[in-house]
Amino acid sequence: MGFKPANNIQDLQYFGEFGGVNPSISDSSTYTFLSAKTMFDTFEGNADGCYLYSRHSSPSNLYLGEALAAMEGTETANVAASGMGAITPVILQLCEAGDHIVSSRTIYGGTYAFLKNFTPRFDIKTSFVDITNLDVVEQAITSKTKILYCESVSNPLLEVADIKGLADIAKRHNLQLVVDNTFSPLSISPAKLGADIVIHSLTKFINGSSDTVGGVVCGTQEFIDQLRNVNDGASMLLGSTMDSLRSASVLKNLRTLHIRMQQHSLNAKYLAEKFEQDGLKTVYPGLASHPSHELFKSMMNDKYGFGGMLTIDVGSLDTANALMEMMQEKNLGYLAVSLGFYKTLFSAPGSSTSSEIPEDEQKDMGLSDGLIRFSIGLDADIERTYNMMRACMVELNILEPKESFTTV
Ligand SMILES: Cc1ncc(COP(=O)(O)O)c(C=O)c1O
């Protein structure tokens, strides 16, 4: 029996304070105690069900965390004010001065910048490797390594991590395997494949309406308690707390994630196949030509497809920019970073979300100037979208007009 993440979300049942079908929003930063002793116990972490202060935890954040833990199949979870607000405390909680991280070199630019430029200030160093080559990953491990870090489907190159293979390496070397699953919610369940900690930027598919930033760390009760510890917990002390009003709205959006992911995946697969047939260099994990197509298939849960992200290469940054501007003019989507919206979003990662990565390293990892990253929307008529996108490409001489058949 496969893992069924959407069933786990469906099965949650919360009642609001007055019998409402949604849990009541806890609109408070602080909480009263009936006895001083309970306050003391709560600070010590020994009063289950009591709330202390909303930077530590709040009922609304716990509801959302519980739902996301159910989705990922972990013991529990801690929500944060942004994806980076989830990623950075995990790294700082697990590492101290002198420690080392082995990370995929194709990760979100902000995470890359944090590991490359920020953590060295605390004498935490990172080796960036080709995560698809398990030998290279293992060779990079030193006696100081604490974390193996990757994205299940990487931003922006859509490389797929062999999570089982990486989990084996992590176990052998006593490392924590931390997986950012932002690009493949529901499709891939990293904890079920052996990851120790699963992170999401909720900003993307999970919230799905591009109206807020948010993040989550899913893991064991022990690790989440460490993050929240009032004395040395990185989440508690760095203070990247999600507001209760927001966590309530993200929880409501989470309930339609399964339907949205199915439509994102359906549309992205349709376009990827068409673009590839047109002769465009297209990368999509659902294409048989993707080097990790079989690997993705071996890891994926039933029903949610290969995700909503694809890339095409149109040869140069100028052409990419012209195409994106034209597609926006024709109302096909927005020239914008981020992902997981009802409209298609497109950007050229080399000059935007991955601009933190130096040019020579971009080249090295195959991040070319003409690359356009698409987050495909929920379009009801994807064939119409394709025809309109194709017309833009013809107008810009990226594609030839389709041959018209003449009868003799
Ligand atoms: C894969 C991935 N992880 C993490 C983040 C950071 O999330 P946030 O912007 O919510 O801080 C992003 C943002 O683009 C991302 O694409």
Side-chain angles (χ1 to χ4, degrees), residues 82-85 87 108 111 151 155 180 182-183 201-204 213-214 339 373:
S82 70
M84 288 309 290
I87 292 166
Y108 165 59
T111 313
E151 295 172 1
N155 183 1
D180 179 337
T182 300
F183 274 35
S201 164
L202 303 176
T203 316
K204 315 293 160 47
V213 285
L339 40 134
R373 184 187 80 174

Side-chain angles (χ1 to χ4, degrees), residues 207-235:
N207 185 55
S209 48
S210 292
D211 56 359
T212 187
V213 285
V216 70
V217 181
C218 303
T220 60
Q221 187 70 51
E222 189 187 356
F223 181 64
I224 299 300
D225 285 347
Q226 282 171 20
L227 283 175
R228 285 195 193 128
N229 189 295
V230 293
N231 293 308
D232 61 2
S235 294

Side-chain angles (χ1 to χ4, degrees), residues 120-146:
R121 293 190 197 175
F122 305 112
D123 196 23
I124 299 166
K125 300 211 171 66
T126 300
S127 301
F128 294 97
V129 298
D130 174 357
I131 205 74
T132 63
N133 187 335
L134 295 182
D135 291 336
V136 168
V137 171
E138 191 152 20
Q139 279 158 23
I141 295 169
T142 72
S143 60
K144 297 283 186 193
T145 309
K146 290 282 157 59

Side-chain angles (χ1 to χ4, degrees), residues 279-300:
L280 288 169
K281 200 169 150 203
T282 310
V283 175
Y284 181 65
L287 292 174
S289 59
H290 190 288
S292 302
H293 177 62
E294 290 304 321
L295 172 64
F296 195 118
K297 267 183 21 191
S298 74
M299 296 195 294
M300 74 200 288

Side-chain angles (χ1 to χ4, degrees), residues 25 40-41 51 55 57 71 89 163 175 204 226 238 246 254 265 285 292 313 331 353 368 398:
I25 300 172
F40 173 78
D41 288 345
Y51 296 95
R55 173 155 46 78
S57 62
M71 180 184 87
I163 298 171
L175 314 178
K204 315 293 160 47
Q226 282 171 20
L238 295 172
R246 265 310 174 194
L254 176 67
S265 290
S292 302
D313 193 336
N331 202 10
T353 46
S368 51
I398 299 166

Side-chain angles (χ1 to χ4, degrees), residues 228-381:
R228 285 195 193 128
N229 189 295
V230 293
N231 293 308
D232 61 2
S235 294
M236 179 65 184
L237 299 178
L238 295 172
S240 174
T241 309
M242 180 178 270
D243 182 72
S244 290
L245 296 173
R246 265 310 174 194
S247 52
S249 74
V250 176
L251 178 63
K252 282 176 248 179
N253 288 357
L254 176 67
R255 295 170 185 158
T256 56
L257 179 65
H258 58 302
I259 304 169
R260 290 186 280 112
M261 285 318 294
Q262 286 168 359
Q263 189 71 15
H264 282 301
S265 290
L266 199 77
N267 286 351
K269 187 158 187 284
Y270 180 92
L271 289 179
E273 283 170 356
K274 289 286 189 190
F275 290 155
E276 188 170 61
Q277 280 161 20
D278 283 333
L280 288 169
K281 200 169 150 203
T282 310
V283 175
Y284 181 65
L287 292 174
S289 59
H290 190 288
S292 302
H293 177 62
E294 290 304 321
L295 172 64
F296 195 118
K297 267 183 21 191
S298 74
M299 296 195 294
M300 74 200 288
N301 296 319
D302 220 18
K303 282 193 179 159
Y304 308 106
F306 296 88
M309 304 301 294
L310 66 87
T311 68
I312 58 170
D313 193 336
V314 293
S316 75
L317 183 58
D318 285 346
T319 311
N321 288 343
L323 177 61
M324 292 190 294
E325 283 169 14
M326 187 179 283
M327 288 191 297
Q328 178 162 261
E329 257 164 46
K330 304 232 188 258
N331 202 10
L332 285 163
Y334 293 112
L335 203 181
V337 298
S338 201
L339 40 134
F341 197 35
Y342 84 105
K343 291 281 264 194
T344 293
L345 304 177
F346 29 81
S347 55
S351 55
S352 60
T353 46
S354 296
S355 54
E356 293 90 343
I357 302 173
E359 259 175 49
D360 52 330
E361 287 177 40
Q362 290 194 18
K363 272 215 176 70
D364 227 35
M365 59 177 73
L367 214 167
S368 51
D369 277 353
L371 196 77
I372 304 179
R373 184 187 80 174
F374 286 79
S375 161
I376 305 300
L378 301 173
D379 309 32
D381 183 352

